[in-house]
Every structure is written in structure tokens, then in C-alpha cells.
Amino acid sequence: MPLPTVRRRTDRLTLRPLGQEDEGEYVRVCSESAEAWRPWIPAGEPGVSVQRLFRRELERSSLGARAGTHLRLAAFADDGSLVGLFALNEIVRGVFQSAYASWQVAADRMRRGYGTEGVRALLDLAFEDPPDG
């Protein structure tokens, strides 16, 4: 059974899962934003390329979606540029209803409200009923 596709549109962004076609934008944003993200994101494993990190991200997104435990979305501007990455991790449904939210905004888009816009969309998704499947 195919996974439901999660998409959310805001005033300036389209949030959706990363696809293979997004590798170039992902590599560009991660490379250009590494210094800005350094205080919050460890430098990574020595010798692991950004391309390898992209493949891991695709794998984690797919596995988390299948298990219903993670929702990982990329936010794109209308011109197709990657603006940020937004995620709900360790999703627990039922009485406890919890998850950890995380996000990263591309260095060239910081301090323009994109993080707030993306997080609002992410939280809207968090409080919706889970998709059937």
C-alpha cells in the first residue's frame, strides 16, 4: 500500500517530503548553511558527504512515515528553492499525543519569518487526525 503524501501550502511555502529530484537543492542548502547551523547541529561524521546525508534523510523519511513515528518535510519557495527542513519526531498517538518538533532554515532565508511559517504549518499537521493507512 502506498504511503499517503503529506503536503501543506502556506502563503510562501510548499511543505512536502523530499524526493530524489531534490538532491541538488538539499546539497546546496546544507553546504551553504553549515556554518550558520553549527551551534545546533553537530558537524557530522568525518568523511560522510552531504550526498550521503541526503540519502540517509530519504531513508529516514520513508521509514518514519511507514511506522507513523516521524514526519519529515522540506519547505520550498515558489521558485523551487529549498527554504528549510521541518520535522515531527518520535510521534506518539493516543492519550499521550506527543512529538518533538525540529526545523532548519536555509542560511540565506533566515530572519524573514520562514521558520515561523513552516513551524505553524507543521503544528497544524501535528494536530490533525493521522492519515488512514
PDB file of all heavy atoms in Angstrom, residues 57-71:
ATOM      1  N   GLU A  57      18.586  10.876   4.752  1.00  0.00           N
ATOM      2  CA  GLU A  57      17.362  11.635   5.018  1.00  0.00           C
ATOM      3  C   GLU A  57      16.176  11.016   4.278  1.00  0.00           C
ATOM      4  O   GLU A  57      15.087  10.875   4.842  1.00  0.00           O
ATOM      5  CB  GLU A  57      17.539  13.101   4.616  1.00  0.00           C
ATOM      6  CG  GLU A  57      16.358  13.967   4.912  1.00  0.00           C
ATOM      7  CD  GLU A  57      16.078  14.159   6.385  1.00  0.00           C
ATOM      8  OE1 GLU A  57      16.989  13.993   7.226  1.00  0.00           O
ATOM      9  OE2 GLU A  57      14.919  14.475   6.717  1.00  0.00           O
ATOM     10  N   LEU A  58      16.368  10.643   3.028  1.00  0.00           N
ATOM     11  CA  LEU A  58      15.295   9.975   2.279  1.00  0.00           C
ATOM     12  C   LEU A  58      14.885   8.672   2.952  1.00  0.00           C
ATOM     13  O   LEU A  58      13.694   8.375   3.085  1.00  0.00           O
ATOM     14  CB  LEU A  58      15.737   9.690   0.843  1.00  0.00           C
ATOM     15  CG  LEU A  58      15.852  10.857  -0.114  1.00  0.00           C
ATOM     16  CD1 LEU A  58      16.273  10.360  -1.498  1.00  0.00           C
ATOM     17  CD2 LEU A  58      14.562  11.641  -0.207  1.00  0.00           C
ATOM     18  N   GLU A  59      15.871   7.911   3.386  1.00  0.00           N
ATOM     19  CA  GLU A  59      15.596   6.632   4.041  1.00  0.00           C
ATOM     20  C   GLU A  59      14.848   6.837   5.357  1.00  0.00           C
ATOM     21  O   GLU A  59      13.850   6.182   5.630  1.00  0.00           O
ATOM     22  CB  GLU A  59      16.906   5.886   4.289  1.00  0.00           C
ATOM     23  CG  GLU A  59      16.720   4.492   4.848  1.00  0.00           C
ATOM     24  CD  GLU A  59      18.059   3.784   5.003  1.00  0.00           C
ATOM     25  OE1 GLU A  59      18.840   3.750   4.037  1.00  0.00           O
ATOM     26  OE2 GLU A  59      18.308   3.283   6.116  1.00  0.00           O
ATOM     27  N   ARG A  60      15.311   7.772   6.189  1.00  0.00           N
ATOM     28  CA  ARG A  60      14.654   8.048   7.467  1.00  0.00           C
ATOM     29  C   ARG A  60      13.227   8.545   7.250  1.00  0.00           C
ATOM     30  O   ARG A  60      12.321   8.179   7.989  1.00  0.00           O
ATOM     31  CB  ARG A  60      15.438   9.077   8.274  1.00  0.00           C
ATOM     32  CG  ARG A  60      16.593   8.489   9.018  1.00  0.00           C
ATOM     33  CD  ARG A  60      17.204   9.524   9.898  1.00  0.00           C
ATOM     34  NE  ARG A  60      18.041  10.360   9.041  1.00  0.00           N
ATOM     35  CZ  ARG A  60      19.026  11.121   9.449  1.00  0.00           C
ATOM     36  NH1 ARG A  60      19.276  11.233  10.711  1.00  0.00           N
ATOM     37  NH2 ARG A  60      19.751  11.800   8.609  1.00  0.00           N
ATOM     38  N   SER A  61      13.042   9.382   6.237  1.00  0.00           N
ATOM     39  CA  SER A  61      11.705   9.892   5.942  1.00  0.00           C
ATOM     40  C   SER A  61      10.758   8.759   5.592  1.00  0.00           C
ATOM     41  O   SER A  61       9.631   8.697   6.081  1.00  0.00           O
ATOM     42  CB  SER A  61      11.753  10.884   4.779  1.00  0.00           C
ATOM     43  OG  SER A  61      12.469  12.027   5.145  1.00  0.00           O
ATOM     44  N   SER A  62      11.227   7.855   4.754  1.00  0.00           N
ATOM     45  CA  SER A  62      10.397   6.732   4.331  1.00  0.00           C
ATOM     46  C   SER A  62      10.090   5.788   5.493  1.00  0.00           C
ATOM     47  O   SER A  62       8.938   5.406   5.704  1.00  0.00           O
ATOM     48  CB  SER A  62      11.103   5.972   3.210  1.00  0.00           C
ATOM     49  OG  SER A  62      10.356   4.852   2.843  1.00  0.00           O
ATOM     50  N   LEU A  63      11.114   5.426   6.250  1.00  0.00           N
ATOM     51  CA  LEU A  63      10.906   4.517   7.381  1.00  0.00           C
ATOM     52  C   LEU A  63       9.999   5.130   8.441  1.00  0.00           C
ATOM     53  O   LEU A  63       9.105   4.471   8.971  1.00  0.00           O
ATOM     54  CB  LEU A  63      12.248   4.122   8.003  1.00  0.00           C
ATOM     55  CG  LEU A  63      13.154   3.247   7.155  1.00  0.00           C
ATOM     56  CD1 LEU A  63      14.521   3.085   7.826  1.00  0.00           C
ATOM     57  CD2 LEU A  63      12.520   1.891   6.900  1.00  0.00           C
ATOM     58  N   GLY A  64      10.215   6.396   8.753  1.00  0.00           N
ATOM     59  CA  GLY A  64       9.393   7.068   9.751  1.00  0.00           C
ATOM     60  C   GLY A  64       7.957   7.199   9.320  1.00  0.00           C
ATOM     61  O   GLY A  64       7.031   7.049  10.124  1.00  0.00           O
ATOM     62  N   ALA A  65       7.743   7.471   8.030  1.00  0.00           N
ATOM     63  CA  ALA A  65       6.380   7.581   7.516  1.00  0.00           C
ATOM     64  C   ALA A  65       5.675   6.236   7.578  1.00  0.00           C
ATOM     65  O   ALA A  65       4.507   6.155   7.966  1.00  0.00           O
ATOM     66  CB  ALA A  65       6.406   8.114   6.089  1.00  0.00           C
ATOM     67  N   ARG A  66       6.383   5.169   7.225  1.00  0.00           N
ATOM     68  CA  ARG A  66       5.773   3.833   7.278  1.00  0.00           C
ATOM     69  C   ARG A  66       5.380   3.459   8.703  1.00  0.00           C
ATOM     70  O   ARG A  66       4.325   2.890   8.934  1.00  0.00           O
ATOM     71  CB  ARG A  66       6.739   2.784   6.728  1.00  0.00           C
ATOM     72  CG  ARG A  66       6.916   2.843   5.254  1.00  0.00           C
ATOM     73  CD  ARG A  66       7.755   1.665   4.751  1.00  0.00           C
ATOM     74  NE  ARG A  66       8.332   1.922   3.464  1.00  0.00           N
ATOM     75  CZ  ARG A  66       7.652   2.092   2.336  1.00  0.00           C
ATOM     76  NH1 ARG A  66       6.360   2.047   2.352  1.00  0.00           N
ATOM     77  NH2 ARG A  66       8.271   2.313   1.201  1.00  0.00           N
ATOM     78  N   ALA A  67       6.223   3.790   9.654  1.00  0.00           N
ATOM     79  CA  ALA A  67       5.955   3.437  11.045  1.00  0.00           C
ATOM     80  C   ALA A  67       5.012   4.430  11.724  1.00  0.00           C
ATOM     81  O   ALA A  67       4.477   4.150  12.792  1.00  0.00           O
ATOM     82  CB  ALA A  67       7.276   3.370  11.822  1.00  0.00           C
ATOM     83  N   GLY A  68       4.822   5.596  11.110  1.00  0.00           N
ATOM     84  CA  GLY A  68       3.982   6.619  11.713  1.00  0.00           C
ATOM     85  C   GLY A  68       4.643   7.317  12.891  1.00  0.00           C
ATOM     86  O   GLY A  68       3.979   7.958  13.699  1.00  0.00           O
ATOM     87  N   THR A  69       5.969   7.213  12.982  1.00  0.00           N
ATOM     88  CA  THR A  69       6.684   7.769  14.130  1.00  0.00           C
ATOM     89  C   THR A  69       7.414   9.067  13.812  1.00  0.00           C
ATOM     90  O   THR A  69       7.855   9.757  14.729  1.00  0.00           O
ATOM     91  CB  THR A  69       7.714   6.758  14.659  1.00  0.00           C
ATOM     92  OG1 THR A  69       8.608   6.406  13.597  1.00  0.00           O
ATOM     93  CG2 THR A  69       7.033   5.516  15.192  1.00  0.00           C
ATOM     94  N   HIS A  70       7.565   9.399  12.545  1.00  0.00           N
ATOM     95  CA  HIS A  70       8.279  10.605  12.141  1.00  0.00           C
ATOM     96  C   HIS A  70       7.601  11.205  10.917  1.00  0.00           C
ATOM     97  O   HIS A  70       7.109  10.481  10.055  1.00  0.00           O
ATOM     98  CB  HIS A  70       9.741  10.313  11.775  1.00  0.00           C
ATOM     99  CG  HIS A  70      10.521   9.695  12.882  1.00  0.00           C
ATOM    100  ND1 HIS A  70      10.930  10.392  13.988  1.00  0.00           N
ATOM    101  CD2 HIS A  70      10.956   8.427  13.063  1.00  0.00           C
ATOM    102  CE1 HIS A  70      11.586   9.589  14.801  1.00  0.00           C
ATOM    103  NE2 HIS A  70      11.614   8.389  14.254  1.00  0.00           N
ATOM    104  N   LEU A  71       7.602  12.513  10.850  1.00  0.00           N
ATOM    105  CA  LEU A  71       7.132  13.225   9.670  1.00  0.00           C
ATOM    106  C   LEU A  71       8.209  14.240   9.331  1.00  0.00           C
ATOM    107  O   LEU A  71       8.495  15.142  10.107  1.00  0.00           O
ATOM    108  CB  LEU A  71       5.803  13.937   9.952  1.00  0.00           C
ATOM    109  CG  LEU A  71       5.273  14.818   8.828  1.00  0.00           C
ATOM    110  CD1 LEU A  71       4.972  13.984   7.578  1.00  0.00           C
ATOM    111  CD2 LEU A  71       4.029  15.560   9.289  1.00  0.00           C
TER     112      LEU A  71
END
